[in-house]
Every structure is written in C-alpha cells, then in structure tokens.
Amino acid sequence: MTADTTTPIAAASPADAGTPAQASRRDFIKKGAATATFFSTLGHSGVWAAGSDAPEKEEVKIGFIPLTDCASVVMASVLGFDKKYGVKIIPTKEASWAGVRDKLVNGELDFAHVLYGLVYGVHMGTAGPKKDMAVLMSLNNNGQAITLSKALADKGAVDGPSLAKFIAANKRDYTFAGTFPTGTHAMWMHYWLAAAGINPLSGARLITVPPPQMVANMRIGNMDGFCVGEPWNHRAIMDGIGVTANTTQDIWKDHPEKVLGTTAEFTKKYPNTTRAVMMAVLEASRWIDAGLQNKMKMAETVAQKSYINTGVDAINQRILGRYQNGMGKTWDDPNHMKFFNDGKVNFPYLSDGMWFLTQHKRWGLIKSHPDYLGIAKQVNQIDLYKSVASAMGISVPKDPMRSSKLMDGIVWDGKDPAKYADGFSIKA
C-alpha cells in the first residue's frame, strides 16, 4: 500500500489558544508548515484563504449500481477517505442505469459510478434528455463478461463462433441483453456478436435489463445471453443457469468501463467539491489495488445488503483473477478488474470516450459523424484530473490518446475515428 504522505493538522490544545506571540516562534512556524504541507497534498498552494478553497458542498450523494466496480466509491466512504478531503460521501444505491441518468440530470445525485457510454449518450442527447456532462476519471478497467445460457451451452453454443454456427442452423428469435442502450455492456455485446459474424441489429434482438436482474431474467428464459459487470456473470455460473463465453478483457484488454461522472454544470459550480471527491475516490482506488488483503476486505464490504447484496464468494474470486467458465475450465487472468494499477486505470483518455462515439455511430445511435475529438475534450476533464493526480503524486500518461488492438484484430488509436467507425463490415 502506498504510504500516506499527508501531514495531519494538530488539534489545538488549550495551551495553544493564545495569539501567535504567546507561542514560541518555532512552534508557530512548525504548525504553519504542517498545515501548508497538508493543503499542498490537496492541490492547494497554501492554506485555505478564508475557506475559498474549501469544498463548497460538504455532503455529496454518489449514485451506484450493485456491481463489483462500484467498490472505489463505496470504500472511499467506508474507509473515511472522503472526510480526509473535507467531504462526506453518501453512496446511494440505484435500481437501474436509466434511474442514475435521470437523477444525475435533475440534480438528485451529485456524482455517479456510471457507464462510460451513458455519459456520452446524455451529452449527445442519444440517451434521453441532452445535458452537458463530465467524465472526471475512469473507475475501473476490465471485469465484465458475456454470459450465455446453460441451455445454449448444453447444445454446443459456448463462444462466438459456435453461437454463430448454432444460430445459422437453428432459426428462431434470439434475445441478448445489455444494461443501457448507449452503455458499455450494450457496446461489448454488439461488438462481440459482430466479431463472430452475427449482426446484432438483424440477427438478434437486444434488450435492456438492469444488472441485478440479469440472472433472474435468464433463469426464466427471457434471454439467450447477456453482457453485464461482475458479480452477475459468476453468479449465473454459481446458480447453474449460465456460462462465461468471453470476458470483456478478451474483447479489449484494459478497456474503459465505469467512470466517475457528473454534469458539466456541477464541476463549474462546485470545483473544490469535485476535486475533493476525485481525491477520495482515487485514494480508495489505490487502496483496493494495493494488496490481496485489501481486495478481500473490499469484497466483504461491497457484498453487504446495502451495496451489492450477494454472497462474498460471488465476488472474491474474479477480483483476484481466478476465473472459471461454468464448463470445467479454470484459469488465472492477469487482466482482471483493476481499480488503480499505478494510476493507469484512472486517467480519462480522450480516445476512450471517442471509441464509444464511434460505436454509437456504427450502430445508428447517432446518424452522422460528430466532432469526435472536440466532444471528448468537452466531456473528459483531462486538466482537472491532471491537477488532482499531481497533488496526490499519481503519474499521468504524456498522451491523452492510447492505442489498442481489439478481439477482431482491428486497432483503435483515435487518429481517424470516422474512418474507423465506417470501416466495419457489420454496421447499421
């Protein structure tokens, strides 16, 4: 675990109650230096000037959906990292991503653990009411999966190619689920089906189901497969109703997933609050990834009824990279869900946001090519993130674009997004 470099501010004792002249000059300087050190770790150049840099809102509501990757928001509150930075985080459990969207837009929530593509969908007006949004930081990479029903797996459809073969030979309507139309899971499911040669618009039906309801819906036969975050893929295996066909890190290693999101209006109105919350969540992210014991403690915490409400055994294996597919295969995955990874996780790469826009265009959610880079620069708060990371001694990449090869062999680097979006053989 990274050592805590902040210097606590000493509480004033009755002996300190007099004027500086009554204290020794040395003590006075020492205390002033300690205070300045503390505030410099918050990104302040010195002591708060008459409270001008103090968080404008001392209590903030952060919405979350019951998923393993809500952990950094929950642990920031549970471990008291929020108080360290002068705010109180109230994690608020939500029933669906549509609910998260509505409450963020109308101000009932201040921030949210939220799908990357949902933030862009709201900003573009393709996911409900249009509102200027902000991605403050990425919360996790990896750790979602594609689950196929046990009924399909028993007939030999266990991955993309075998599913395509099965669908071609057995004509009927096939239904797959994501968690929100412009969200990450819908895009992973679309991408995965298309990579296997299945057109997700004409060869299958895609529905939206809230994450905690995925397993129950598969149990009663409402879908043939789904894409969702953990622990619901592992839960489907434990309950004997589904198998893991692929993890999302098979689709894109170290892919962007959930973000800490808010409205652009909030960041402008409450800049110090925004920074304080980012620091608390970043510190929790760093704490989770610092070691095995922390991950186990996190799993025990988020499994509780007030958060995910499932057995800890549904969570604690996959966060350590210990996978099974429900068909007898087990493996250790080095690309499991990560929350910090020496700061590599949390930087809000412009190219990550742009990728979701390319897929929204690919599948007809937006009709014409937007200004991909311009929109990403509006939404992803790169400068704000850099200032917060710098204050916390967290390294940031030199380039706000990154390059990755996805499962179909196509490289995404953000250089020509329109060409990339138009270059797929299966698209709207």
Side-chain angles (χ1 to χ4, degrees):
M1 185 172 165
T2 310
D4 181 1
T5 56
T6 56
T7 308
I9 302 173
S13 71
D16 296 329
T19 64
Q22 292 170 303
S24 76
R25 189 166 180 275
R26 189 181 300 138
D27 280 357
F28 182 66
I29 291 168
K30 202 195 291 183
K31 277 180 191 164
T35 307
T37 303
F38 175 76
F39 286 116
S40 71
T41 66
L42 298 183
H44 300 293
S45 54
V47 185
W48 282 332
S52 63
D53 286 353
E56 304 87 354
K57 278 189 85 161
E58 290 179 6
E59 196 170 281
V60 293
K61 285 185 179 174
I62 307 187
F64 73 92
I65 291 285
L67 289 160
T68 304
D69 50 32
C70 75
S72 54
V73 165
V74 170
M75 298 313 290
S77 167
V78 170
L79 297 172
F81 293 138
D82 53 350
K83 292 178 188 66
K84 175 175 170 178
Y85 296 107
V87 288
K88 179 177 168 60
I89 289 173
I90 301 170
T92 309
K93 187 172 176 176
E94 303 298 332
S96 70
W97 289 119
V100 169
R101 172 202 61 198
D102 294 346
K103 289 182 179 181
L104 262 183
V105 167
N106 70 24
E108 282 180 67
L109 292 172
D110 299 309
F111 303 89
H113 148 258
V114 65
L115 300 161
Y116 217 127
L118 183 153
V119 177
Y120 273 76
V122 173
H123 191 82
M124 296 291 291
T126 48
K130 187 179 188 317
K131 182 143 183 144
D132 287 350
M133 299 298 287
V135 164
L136 303 173
M137 58 186 271
S138 178
L139 294 177
N140 68 296
N141 291 162
N142 309 326
Q144 326 293 296
I146 309 272
T147 290
L148 292 177
S149 72
K150 189 77 164 56
L152 270 184
D154 288 344
K155 292 172 186 166
V158 296
D159 57 16
S162 57
L163 175 67
K165 200 172 166 184
F166 183 85
I167 287 176
N170 299 274
K171 297 294 182 193
R172 66 170 173 84
D173 289 336
Y174 290 85
T175 302
F176 299 92
T179 63
F180 188 81
T182 64
T184 53
H185 304 116
M187 295 306 106
W188 308 139
M189 180 58 88
H190 277 72
Y191 203 98
W192 182 81
L193 288 168
I198 303 162
N199 189 320
L201 301 182
S202 58
R205 188 167 75 100
L206 274 99
I207 60 172
T208 297
V209 175
Q213 295 173 29
M214 285 291 189
V215 176
N217 273 276
M218 184 171 271
R219 186 179 283 114
I220 58 172
N222 280 354
M223 81 270 278
D224 297 289
F226 60 69
C227 182
V228 74
E230 297 302 340
W232 305 117
N233 302 288
H234 190 66
R235 183 84 249 172
I237 292 171
M238 290 171 71
D239 293 358
I241 62 157
V243 302
T244 294
N246 277 111
T247 65
T248 49
Q249 52 266 31
D250 293 335
I251 300 172
W252 178 355
K253 181 190 160 190
D254 293 336
H255 66 78
E257 185 50 44
K258 306 302 186 302
V259 296
L260 182 63
T262 186
T263 60
E265 182 185 10
F266 189 95
T267 62
K268 291 187 184 83
K269 193 173 176 184
Y270 305 108
N272 302 331
T273 306
T274 302
R275 287 165 62 85
V277 168
M278 288 170 72
M279 286 173 162
V281 174
L282 265 173
E283 187 144 350
S285 306
R286 181 160 60 185
W287 180 89
I288 292 166
D289 274 10
L292 184 68
Q293 275 183 307
N294 292 7
K295 285 192 171 125
M296 299 308 270
K297 162 86 172 157
M298 174 271 276
E300 286 167 18
T301 304
V302 299
Q304 293 168 21
K305 191 176 181 182
S306 50
Y307 305 116
I308 298 176
N309 191 24
T310 191
V312 70
D313 51 347
I315 299 172
N316 62 14
Q317 294 304 298
R318 288 193 171 187
I319 59 155
L320 302 174
R322 295 171 190 159
Y323 277 77
Q324 53 165 300
N325 68 354
M327 297 173 282
K329 181 188 171 189
T330 60
W331 72 100
D332 285 328
D333 190 341
N335 304 313
H336 55 82
M337 187 183 292
K338 294 188 173 76
F339 292 87
F340 185 66
N341 195 18
D342 296 323
K344 294 185 191 80
V345 168
N346 311 105
F347 186 76
Y349 288 96
L350 295 176
S351 54
D352 287 358
M354 291 165 67
W355 185 85
F356 288 104
L357 288 177
T358 69
Q359 298 309 295
H360 296 168
K361 173 65 177 73
R362 177 184 180 184
W363 301 118
L365 292 163
I366 46 183
K367 301 304 173 201
S368 57
H369 289 294
D371 175 3
Y372 292 97
L373 181 58
I375 290 162
K377 283 179 174 175
Q378 285 170 20
V379 178
N380 290 24
Q381 304 297 303
I382 299 280
D383 290 342
L384 178 59
Y385 179 84
K386 281 181 176 176
S387 73
V388 166
S390 166
M392 296 180 74
I394 295 168
S395 61
V396 296
K398 289 185 178 72
D399 194 342
M401 310 288 264
R402 62 174 175 151
S403 176
S404 307
K405 185 187 282 189
L406 276 65
M407 71 182 302
D408 52 9
I410 299 172
V411 172
W412 165 245
D413 58 15
K415 283 180 184 149
D416 193 342
K419 184 182 175 186
Y420 176 84
D422 287 343
F424 293 97
S425 55
I426 298 178
K427 56 181 186 280

